[in-house]
Amino acid sequence: MRQIVILSGSPSERSRSDRALDQFREIAMDQSYTVQFFSVRDVSPEALFYTRFNDPEVVAIGNALRAADGVIIGSPVYKASYTGIFKALIDLLPEDVLKDTPVLPIMVGGSSKHLLAIEFALKPLLATLKAELLQGVYILDTQIDKIKTPAIQDSTLMDRIQDQMKQLTIAIEKKCAYEDKDKLMGHHLNK
């Protein structure tokens, strides 16, 4: 079974970003993916502040990201960018942790003025980790209900989300087919 890892950059326990990512998790599980969900809140503040690369949670997140067939990364927009605590976590991960891995970036912001935060902040950061980046989805926080389920009720936005999930699935299948072919070729060469 294929695996997707979701990483939240939100420091808030009950954030709209996490509500949106929960909806992505539901879609992925409906598509028969195994899903692991991690948050910056899983890592101790001390590990982030004192740059503890070998912190067990940092290592676990890094290992899960490296093993994933696809990744969804989301953050709220803070000061026209991702959260500082998210950046602190990213700084602790190996620079090739997302190498050749399809990544769907998600950002949630309070205004359409921050729409380009995905393009000019989050995507360049993820590119340093060697991610295969998809277009991504920017969501206004007013489009996310903090109480209702599903949290996103807007049909136009859901169409965009479904389209991006379809693109993620296509990218995952291409990656896995390539890896399977590599394993098969390696097996034949070792005989």
mmCIF file of all heavy atoms in Angstrom, residues 134-167:
data_model
loop_
_atom_site.group_PDB
_atom_site.id
_atom_site.type_symbol
_atom_site.label_atom_id
_atom_site.label_comp_id
_atom_site.label_asym_id
_atom_site.label_seq_id
_atom_site.Cartn_x
_atom_site.Cartn_y
_atom_site.Cartn_z
ATOM 1 N N LEU A 134 4.470 19.988 -6.665
ATOM 2 C CA LEU A 134 3.231 20.161 -7.414
ATOM 3 C C LEU A 134 2.789 21.617 -7.291
ATOM 4 O O LEU A 134 3.387 22.401 -6.552
ATOM 5 C CB LEU A 134 2.163 19.225 -6.874
ATOM 6 C CG LEU A 134 2.501 17.730 -6.949
ATOM 7 C CD1 LEU A 134 1.404 16.911 -6.326
ATOM 8 C CD2 LEU A 134 2.747 17.299 -8.374
ATOM 9 N N GLN A 135 1.725 21.979 -7.982
ATOM 10 C CA GLN A 135 1.247 23.356 -7.989
ATOM 11 C C GLN A 135 0.917 23.864 -6.588
ATOM 12 O O GLN A 135 1.318 24.945 -6.196
ATOM 13 C CB GLN A 135 0.019 23.479 -8.886
ATOM 14 C CG GLN A 135 -0.542 24.884 -8.939
ATOM 15 C CD GLN A 135 -1.751 24.966 -9.851
ATOM 16 O OE1 GLN A 135 -2.016 24.087 -10.639
ATOM 17 N NE2 GLN A 135 -2.493 26.045 -9.731
ATOM 18 N N GLY A 136 0.160 23.107 -5.822
ATOM 19 C CA GLY A 136 -0.209 23.512 -4.477
ATOM 20 C C GLY A 136 -1.568 24.177 -4.423
ATOM 21 O O GLY A 136 -2.180 24.481 -5.449
ATOM 22 N N VAL A 137 -2.035 24.398 -3.197
ATOM 23 C CA VAL A 137 -3.337 25.000 -2.969
ATOM 24 C C VAL A 137 -3.204 26.058 -1.877
ATOM 25 O O VAL A 137 -2.680 25.772 -0.799
ATOM 26 C CB VAL A 137 -4.394 23.958 -2.529
ATOM 27 C CG1 VAL A 137 -5.745 24.619 -2.311
ATOM 28 C CG2 VAL A 137 -4.505 22.823 -3.536
ATOM 29 N N TYR A 138 -3.691 27.266 -2.190
ATOM 30 C CA TYR A 138 -3.783 28.330 -1.196
ATOM 31 C C TYR A 138 -5.245 28.421 -0.776
ATOM 32 O O TYR A 138 -6.135 28.482 -1.619
ATOM 33 C CB TYR A 138 -3.323 29.672 -1.775
ATOM 34 C CG TYR A 138 -3.394 30.804 -0.779
ATOM 35 C CD1 TYR A 138 -2.375 31.001 0.141
ATOM 36 C CD2 TYR A 138 -4.491 31.651 -0.745
ATOM 37 C CE1 TYR A 138 -2.445 32.034 1.072
ATOM 38 C CE2 TYR A 138 -4.570 32.688 0.179
ATOM 39 C CZ TYR A 138 -3.540 32.870 1.086
ATOM 40 O OH TYR A 138 -3.614 33.885 2.009
ATOM 41 N N ILE A 139 -5.477 28.420 0.528
ATOM 42 C CA ILE A 139 -6.830 28.421 1.065
ATOM 43 C C ILE A 139 -6.990 29.626 1.991
ATOM 44 O O ILE A 139 -6.149 29.854 2.863
ATOM 45 C CB ILE A 139 -7.113 27.118 1.851
ATOM 46 C CG1 ILE A 139 -6.840 25.890 0.975
ATOM 47 C CG2 ILE A 139 -8.536 27.105 2.396
ATOM 48 C CD1 ILE A 139 -6.835 24.566 1.731
ATOM 49 N N LEU A 140 -8.062 30.363 1.788
ATOM 50 C CA LEU A 140 -8.370 31.450 2.721
ATOM 51 C C LEU A 140 -8.918 30.858 4.016
ATOM 52 O O LEU A 140 -9.708 29.902 3.972
ATOM 53 C CB LEU A 140 -9.412 32.391 2.127
ATOM 54 C CG LEU A 140 -8.966 33.226 0.931
ATOM 55 C CD1 LEU A 140 -10.160 33.948 0.314
ATOM 56 C CD2 LEU A 140 -7.901 34.229 1.364
ATOM 57 N N ASP A 141 -8.514 31.411 5.144
ATOM 58 C CA ASP A 141 -8.994 30.834 6.397
ATOM 59 C C ASP A 141 -10.513 30.932 6.542
ATOM 60 O O ASP A 141 -11.122 30.129 7.240
ATOM 61 C CB ASP A 141 -8.256 31.385 7.614
ATOM 62 C CG ASP A 141 -8.419 32.860 7.845
ATOM 63 O OD1 ASP A 141 -9.194 33.520 7.130
ATOM 64 O OD2 ASP A 141 -7.752 33.381 8.760
ATOM 65 N N THR A 142 -11.130 31.869 5.837
ATOM 66 C CA THR A 142 -12.593 31.973 5.879
ATOM 67 C C THR A 142 -13.273 30.816 5.142
ATOM 68 O O THR A 142 -14.475 30.611 5.302
ATOM 69 C CB THR A 142 -13.076 33.302 5.262
ATOM 70 O OG1 THR A 142 -12.578 33.414 3.930
ATOM 71 C CG2 THR A 142 -12.607 34.491 6.096
ATOM 72 N N GLN A 143 -12.519 30.067 4.348
ATOM 73 C CA GLN A 143 -13.062 28.914 3.626
ATOM 74 C C GLN A 143 -13.010 27.633 4.457
ATOM 75 O O GLN A 143 -13.410 26.576 3.981
ATOM 76 C CB GLN A 143 -12.298 28.706 2.312
ATOM 77 C CG GLN A 143 -12.479 29.842 1.324
ATOM 78 C CD GLN A 143 -11.603 29.667 0.097
ATOM 79 O OE1 GLN A 143 -10.390 29.615 0.183
ATOM 80 N NE2 GLN A 143 -12.248 29.572 -1.061
ATOM 81 N N ILE A 144 -12.495 27.737 5.673
ATOM 82 C CA ILE A 144 -12.350 26.569 6.542
ATOM 83 C C ILE A 144 -13.203 26.772 7.783
ATOM 84 O O ILE A 144 -13.014 27.722 8.534
ATOM 85 C CB ILE A 144 -10.880 26.360 6.952
ATOM 86 C CG1 ILE A 144 -10.006 26.201 5.698
ATOM 87 C CG2 ILE A 144 -10.745 25.145 7.864
ATOM 88 C CD1 ILE A 144 -8.526 26.295 5.974
ATOM 89 N N ASP A 145 -14.132 25.860 7.987
ATOM 90 C CA ASP A 145 -14.998 25.923 9.155
ATOM 91 C C ASP A 145 -14.307 25.212 10.317
ATOM 92 O O ASP A 145 -13.838 24.077 10.157
ATOM 93 C CB ASP A 145 -16.344 25.257 8.852
ATOM 94 C CG ASP A 145 -17.387 25.570 9.890
ATOM 95 O OD1 ASP A 145 -17.180 25.180 11.060
ATOM 96 O OD2 ASP A 145 -18.395 26.202 9.535
ATOM 97 N N LYS A 146 -14.225 25.843 11.455
ATOM 98 C CA LYS A 146 -13.545 25.245 12.611
ATOM 99 C C LYS A 146 -14.408 24.220 13.342
ATOM 100 O O LYS A 146 -13.918 23.510 14.211
ATOM 101 C CB LYS A 146 -13.083 26.329 13.582
ATOM 102 C CG LYS A 146 -11.903 27.115 13.049
ATOM 103 C CD LYS A 146 -11.331 28.017 14.101
ATOM 104 C CE LYS A 146 -10.139 27.319 14.722
ATOM 105 N NZ LYS A 146 -9.339 28.204 15.566
ATOM 106 N N ILE A 147 -15.700 24.119 12.964
ATOM 107 C CA ILE A 147 -16.597 23.215 13.675
ATOM 108 C C ILE A 147 -17.169 22.132 12.758
ATOM 109 O O ILE A 147 -17.142 20.950 13.093
ATOM 110 C CB ILE A 147 -17.739 24.010 14.344
ATOM 111 C CG1 ILE A 147 -17.150 24.999 15.359
ATOM 112 C CG2 ILE A 147 -18.738 23.074 15.012
ATOM 113 C CD1 ILE A 147 -18.119 26.029 15.856
ATOM 114 N N LYS A 148 -17.686 22.529 11.605
ATOM 115 C CA LYS A 148 -18.349 21.577 10.702
ATOM 116 C C LYS A 148 -17.364 20.562 10.129
ATOM 117 O O LYS A 148 -16.180 20.820 9.989
ATOM 118 C CB LYS A 148 -19.009 22.310 9.532
ATOM 119 C CG LYS A 148 -20.227 23.108 9.884
ATOM 120 C CD LYS A 148 -20.810 23.751 8.641
ATOM 121 C CE LYS A 148 -21.954 24.678 8.974
ATOM 122 N NZ LYS A 148 -22.395 25.428 7.799
ATOM 123 N N THR A 149 -17.924 19.413 9.761
ATOM 124 C CA THR A 149 -17.166 18.388 9.059
ATOM 125 C C THR A 149 -17.943 18.029 7.811
ATOM 126 O O THR A 149 -19.127 17.734 7.916
ATOM 127 C CB THR A 149 -16.969 17.141 9.949
ATOM 128 O OG1 THR A 149 -16.281 17.557 11.130
ATOM 129 C CG2 THR A 149 -16.163 16.082 9.236
ATOM 130 N N PRO A 150 -17.337 18.078 6.650
ATOM 131 C CA PRO A 150 -15.955 18.463 6.406
ATOM 132 C C PRO A 150 -15.731 19.962 6.624
ATOM 133 O O PRO A 150 -16.654 20.772 6.491
ATOM 134 C CB PRO A 150 -15.711 18.074 4.950
ATOM 135 C CG PRO A 150 -17.056 18.065 4.315
ATOM 136 C CD PRO A 150 -18.035 17.720 5.399
ATOM 137 N N ALA A 151 -14.499 20.292 6.918
ATOM 138 C CA ALA A 151 -14.146 21.676 7.249
ATOM 139 C C ALA A 151 -14.243 22.599 6.039
ATOM 140 O O ALA A 151 -14.497 23.783 6.183
ATOM 141 C CB ALA A 151 -12.744 21.734 7.835
ATOM 142 N N ILE A 152 -14.022 22.040 4.860
ATOM 143 C CA ILE A 152 -14.089 22.839 3.633
ATOM 144 C C ILE A 152 -15.379 22.482 2.915
ATOM 145 O O ILE A 152 -15.561 21.343 2.481
ATOM 146 C CB ILE A 152 -12.860 22.602 2.739
ATOM 147 C CG1 ILE A 152 -11.597 23.021 3.492
ATOM 148 C CG2 ILE A 152 -12.997 23.369 1.425
ATOM 149 C CD1 ILE A 152 -10.304 22.621 2.808
ATOM 150 N N GLN A 153 -16.257 23.467 2.784
ATOM 151 C CA GLN A 153 -17.562 23.254 2.176
ATOM 152 C C GLN A 153 -17.659 23.848 0.769
ATOM 153 O O GLN A 153 -18.537 23.489 0.007
ATOM 154 C CB GLN A 153 -18.648 23.885 3.056
ATOM 155 C CG GLN A 153 -18.646 23.409 4.489
ATOM 156 C CD GLN A 153 -19.423 22.126 4.685
ATOM 157 O OE1 GLN A 153 -20.437 21.909 4.042
ATOM 158 N NE2 GLN A 153 -18.943 21.274 5.566
ATOM 159 N N ASP A 154 -16.764 24.750 0.423
ATOM 160 C CA ASP A 154 -16.800 25.455 -0.859
ATOM 161 C C ASP A 154 -16.511 24.482 -2.010
ATOM 162 O O ASP A 154 -15.437 23.881 -2.070
ATOM 163 C CB ASP A 154 -15.759 26.586 -0.836
ATOM 164 C CG ASP A 154 -15.763 27.402 -2.097
ATOM 165 O OD1 ASP A 154 -15.088 26.985 -3.067
ATOM 166 O OD2 ASP A 154 -16.432 28.461 -2.115
ATOM 167 N N SER A 155 -17.465 24.326 -2.930
ATOM 168 C CA SER A 155 -17.328 23.322 -4.000
ATOM 169 C C SER A 155 -16.225 23.677 -4.998
ATOM 170 O O SER A 155 -15.534 22.780 -5.496
ATOM 171 C CB SER A 155 -18.665 23.127 -4.721
ATOM 172 O OG SER A 155 -19.077 24.325 -5.338
ATOM 173 N N THR A 156 -16.025 24.951 -5.281
ATOM 174 C CA THR A 156 -14.952 25.347 -6.204
ATOM 175 C C THR A 156 -13.597 25.024 -5.604
ATOM 176 O O THR A 156 -12.710 24.490 -6.283
ATOM 177 C CB THR A 156 -15.053 26.853 -6.540
ATOM 178 O OG1 THR A 156 -16.356 27.112 -7.070
ATOM 179 C CG2 THR A 156 -13.996 27.272 -7.537
ATOM 180 N N LEU A 157 -13.420 25.323 -4.338
ATOM 181 C CA LEU A 157 -12.173 24.988 -3.654
ATOM 182 C C LEU A 157 -11.986 23.479 -3.595
ATOM 183 O O LEU A 157 -10.877 22.973 -3.831
ATOM 184 C CB LEU A 157 -12.171 25.584 -2.236
ATOM 185 C CG LEU A 157 -10.974 25.220 -1.358
ATOM 186 C CD1 LEU A 157 -9.654 25.613 -2.011
ATOM 187 C CD2 LEU A 157 -11.121 25.881 0.014
ATOM 188 N N MET A 158 -13.036 22.742 -3.312
ATOM 189 C CA MET A 158 -12.933 21.279 -3.267
ATOM 190 C C MET A 158 -12.548 20.707 -4.628
ATOM 191 O O MET A 158 -11.788 19.738 -4.700
ATOM 192 C CB MET A 158 -14.227 20.651 -2.758
ATOM 193 C CG MET A 158 -14.369 20.695 -1.249
ATOM 194 S SD MET A 158 -12.928 20.059 -0.336
ATOM 195 C CE MET A 158 -12.822 18.380 -0.934
ATOM 196 N N ASP A 159 -13.031 21.310 -5.716
ATOM 197 C CA ASP A 159 -12.622 20.883 -7.057
ATOM 198 C C ASP A 159 -11.113 21.068 -7.243
ATOM 199 O O ASP A 159 -10.436 20.195 -7.792
ATOM 200 C CB ASP A 159 -13.380 21.652 -8.146
ATOM 201 C CG ASP A 159 -14.838 21.251 -8.257
ATOM 202 O OD1 ASP A 159 -15.220 20.184 -7.701
ATOM 203 O OD2 ASP A 159 -15.609 22.000 -8.899
ATOM 204 N N ARG A 160 -10.583 22.213 -6.781
ATOM 205 C CA ARG A 160 -9.133 22.462 -6.868
ATOM 206 C C ARG A 160 -8.354 21.458 -6.025
ATOM 207 O O ARG A 160 -7.322 20.936 -6.447
ATOM 208 C CB ARG A 160 -8.807 23.894 -6.421
ATOM 209 C CG ARG A 160 -9.180 24.931 -7.441
ATOM 210 C CD ARG A 160 -8.708 26.360 -7.142
ATOM 211 N NE ARG A 160 -7.790 26.564 -6.064
ATOM 212 C CZ ARG A 160 -8.044 27.288 -4.965
ATOM 213 N NH1 ARG A 160 -9.214 27.877 -4.809
ATOM 214 N NH2 ARG A 160 -7.139 27.450 -4.039
ATOM 215 N N ILE A 161 -8.865 21.185 -4.831
ATOM 216 C CA ILE A 161 -8.201 20.224 -3.947
ATOM 217 C C ILE A 161 -8.216 18.833 -4.572
ATOM 218 O O ILE A 161 -7.190 18.135 -4.599
ATOM 219 C CB ILE A 161 -8.866 20.228 -2.555
ATOM 220 C CG1 ILE A 161 -8.529 21.534 -1.832
ATOM 221 C CG2 ILE A 161 -8.465 19.007 -1.738
ATOM 222 C CD1 ILE A 161 -9.314 21.761 -0.552
ATOM 223 N N GLN A 162 -9.359 18.419 -5.096
ATOM 224 C CA GLN A 162 -9.454 17.094 -5.737
ATOM 225 C C GLN A 162 -8.515 17.011 -6.934
ATOM 226 O O GLN A 162 -7.868 15.982 -7.155
ATOM 227 C CB GLN A 162 -10.904 16.804 -6.162
ATOM 228 C CG GLN A 162 -11.848 16.596 -5.016
ATOM 229 C CD GLN A 162 -11.636 15.273 -4.276
ATOM 230 O OE1 GLN A 162 -10.791 14.456 -4.608
ATOM 231 N NE2 GLN A 162 -12.424 15.069 -3.236
ATOM 232 N N ASP A 163 -8.415 18.102 -7.711
ATOM 233 C CA ASP A 163 -7.506 18.119 -8.852
ATOM 234 C C ASP A 163 -6.057 17.959 -8.395
ATOM 235 O O ASP A 163 -5.291 17.189 -8.983
ATOM 236 C CB ASP A 163 -7.665 19.412 -9.655
ATOM 237 C CG ASP A 163 -6.700 19.460 -10.828
ATOM 238 O OD1 ASP A 163 -6.831 18.605 -11.736
ATOM 239 O OD2 ASP A 163 -5.798 20.330 -10.827
ATOM 240 N N GLN A 164 -5.671 18.673 -7.351
ATOM 241 C CA GLN A 164 -4.300 18.559 -6.856
ATOM 242 C C GLN A 164 -4.029 17.176 -6.258
ATOM 243 O O GLN A 164 -2.930 16.644 -6.401
ATOM 244 C CB GLN A 164 -4.000 19.666 -5.845
ATOM 245 C CG GLN A 164 -3.751 21.010 -6.492
ATOM 246 C CD GLN A 164 -2.561 20.973 -7.432
ATOM 247 O OE1 GLN A 164 -1.419 20.838 -7.016
ATOM 248 N NE2 GLN A 164 -2.829 21.078 -8.730
ATOM 249 N N MET A 165 -5.016 16.589 -5.611
ATOM 250 C CA MET A 165 -4.850 15.223 -5.096
ATOM 251 C C MET A 165 -4.705 14.235 -6.248
ATOM 252 O O MET A 165 -3.932 13.280 -6.162
ATOM 253 C CB MET A 165 -6.021 14.848 -4.181
ATOM 254 C CG MET A 165 -5.976 15.543 -2.834
ATOM 255 S SD MET A 165 -4.496 15.160 -1.851
ATOM 256 C CE MET A 165 -4.777 13.420 -1.479
ATOM 257 N N LYS A 166 -5.412 14.473 -7.335
ATOM 258 C CA LYS A 166 -5.259 13.631 -8.519
ATOM 259 C C LYS A 166 -3.843 13.767 -9.083
ATOM 260 O O LYS A 166 -3.208 12.768 -9.444
ATOM 261 C CB LYS A 166 -6.296 14.025 -9.577
ATOM 262 C CG LYS A 166 -6.234 13.198 -10.836
ATOM 263 C CD LYS A 166 -7.301 13.635 -11.821
ATOM 264 C CE LYS A 166 -7.210 12.830 -13.103
ATOM 265 N NZ LYS A 166 -8.191 13.289 -14.097
ATOM 266 N N GLN A 167 -3.336 15.003 -9.136
ATOM 267 C CA GLN A 167 -1.972 15.226 -9.615
ATOM 268 C C GLN A 167 -0.956 14.547 -8.693
ATOM 269 O O GLN A 167 0.038 13.985 -9.162
ATOM 270 C CB GLN A 167 -1.668 16.729 -9.734
ATOM 271 C CG GLN A 167 -2.496 17.455 -10.773
ATOM 272 C CD GLN A 167 -2.413 16.828 -12.150
ATOM 273 O OE1 GLN A 167 -1.327 16.509 -12.619
ATOM 274 N NE2 GLN A 167 -3.552 16.635 -12.790
#
